[in-house]
Amino acid sequence: MFSCFMDFNKAFDSVNYWKLFLKLLDDKVNCKIVRLLSYWYSNQRSFVSWNNSISSCFSYSNGTWQGGVLSPYLFTRYIRELIGDIVCAGIGCKLYGQVVNVLAYADDLVLLTPSWRALQRLISILDVHAKFLDLTCNTIKTVAMVFDPKNTSKIVSKNFPLFKVGSNPIQYVTHFKYLGHIISNSRLRFELVHDIARVTNNSDFFFINDDEDIQREIRNMFVHTNVLIHRFSKCSLSTKTILFKSYCIYMYDVALWKFFKKGSMDRFQSCYNKCLKAFFDINGMTA
C-alpha cells in the first residue's frame, strides 16, 4: 500500500474567503450569515507588538482565523470539491468492498492507493485543485510511506521513484506522526503477523505496528509527571488525582494500539507505575 501525507503551506491562512463565501452561497447558507462572515473577515485589523513598540494597524484579505471554532468547518467546505474529485477518481485501496483513497481531517490529508502510479495520479489531481484554491503543498513536510504485504512474493520492489508535486519531489519515510499518532511501516515479528492474518482471514495483511507510538506516550508521561512534581507536589490528594488524570493519562489515541510487541506494553505499564508512585510520593520515588 502506498500512502502520502499531504501538508499545505499555511493552509488556513491561504484561504481566499471570497471564494469560500461563494461556496457557502451555493450551499444555500442563509445570506445573513454569509454577510455577517464577510463583514467580519473583510474588516479584520491587526498590529505587531515588539519590544514594547506597537505598529500601526493593517488589514489582510485572505485566511480563516487560527484557533477559531468555525475555521475547521469553513476549511473543510473550502476543499470539498478537491476531496470529491479524488474520491471520484475511483482508484484506491478497497476496504470491505468500498474504495478508500483519502482520509481528511481539516487540512490533514492522507492519500491511499495500491500502486505507485495510482498515488502519483491522485497527487496530481490534488495539486491541480490546490492551485485553483490558492493552496500550495509544502513538499518539505509532505511525505510518502510504503507498507509491504505479508506475502513477500507480492512485493514488486523495495525501491520506488520519488513522487512529485509538480516538479518537487516527495521523500519516503518509515514513520510519521499523523493527528498525534505515530504511524510506522516497520515489520512485526513474523509469528505475530501470521496470527493476525489467520484471525482476520486476510492473507494480504500489511506490516504495521504501534511500538513507536507507545514509546512516544511513555516519553510524554514521564515529562508530564516531572512537570507536575515540580509545580504541584504540595497539593492535596484530590487535586493531584485530577491533575494526574488530566495531564498524564489523557491518551486519547490508545484505542488505536492493536499490533505491538509485548515488551512495549510492559514498558508502558512500568512507566505508569513509576509515574504514579513518584507524583503521589509513594515510597519516596521520583520519575
Side-chain angles (χ1 to χ4, degrees), residues 61-283:
S61 58
N62 59 280
T64 56
W65 295 330
Q66 291 287 344
V69 294
L70 271 179
S71 295
Y73 167 79
L74 294 175
F75 186 83
T76 300
R77 175 59 191 94
Y78 190 64
I79 63 171
R80 182 190 296 171
E81 286 78 12
L82 180 153
I83 294 175
D85 273 9
I86 292 174
V87 172
C88 290
I91 51 177
C93 299
K94 281 196 173 182
L95 182 64
Y96 299 108
Q98 179 72 36
V99 174
V100 178
N101 58 10
V102 59
L103 306 176
Y105 185 83
D107 59 331
D108 293 306
L109 271 66
V110 186
L111 303 178
L112 306 168
T113 65
S115 71
W116 186 95
R117 188 177 297 276
L119 184 55
Q120 181 59 65
R121 182 180 172 188
L122 293 187
I123 292 173
S124 299
I125 292 174
L126 182 144
D127 186 40
V128 170
H129 280 272
K131 289 178 180 177
F132 175 76
L133 295 173
D134 302 323
L135 299 174
T136 56
C137 290
N138 184 340
T139 52
I140 296 177
K141 293 184 178 181
T142 295
V143 297
M145 190 183 297
V146 182
F147 298 90
D148 290 340
K150 179 185 74 70
N151 188 342
T152 56
S153 66
K154 295 185 178 182
I155 297 177
V156 177
S157 173
K158 284 293 185 181
N159 297 295
F160 295 93
L162 295 179
F163 295 103
K164 290 186 176 181
V165 179
S167 59
N168 299 312
I170 299 173
Q171 300 300 319
Y172 288 100
V173 296
T174 58
H175 61 276
F176 185 76
K177 189 174 183 179
Y178 178 67
L179 300 180
H181 186 85
I182 295 179
I183 298 174
S184 171
N185 68 351
S186 58
R187 293 172 178 264
L188 289 166
R189 289 179 296 115
F190 176 78
E191 296 84 357
L192 177 58
V193 175
H194 178 75
D195 291 341
I196 296 169
R198 176 176 53 79
V199 171
T200 60
N201 194 29
N202 184 357
S203 60
D204 294 329
F205 187 83
F206 293 104
F207 285 110
I208 186 171
N209 73 69
D210 298 305
D211 291 320
E212 291 190 50
D213 197 63
I214 293 174
Q215 186 59 41
R216 176 186 63 81
E217 286 291 359
I218 290 174
R219 291 193 298 268
N220 286 343
M221 188 178 293
F222 275 128
V223 170
H224 294 164
T225 299
N226 280 317
V227 170
L228 293 183
I229 291 172
H230 177 70
R231 297 182 180 181
F232 304 102
S233 60
K234 304 299 182 181
C235 291
S236 65
L237 178 61
S238 58
T239 301
K240 281 187 172 184
T241 302
I242 294 173
L243 289 171
F244 192 77
K245 288 181 177 180
S246 300
Y247 293 100
C248 297
I249 55 174
Y250 63 90
M251 304 159 287
Y252 71 93
D253 63 338
V254 296
L256 298 175
W257 294 349
K258 191 172 183 180
F259 309 125
F260 48 82
K261 296 176 182 176
K262 182 178 182 298
S264 296
M265 187 54 66
D266 289 342
R267 287 190 293 273
F268 179 72
Q269 292 175 341
S270 175
C271 166
Y272 173 81
N273 291 335
K274 289 180 179 179
C275 291
L276 187 70
K277 291 178 179 179
F279 185 51
F280 291 96
D281 196 24
I282 301 174
N283 299 328

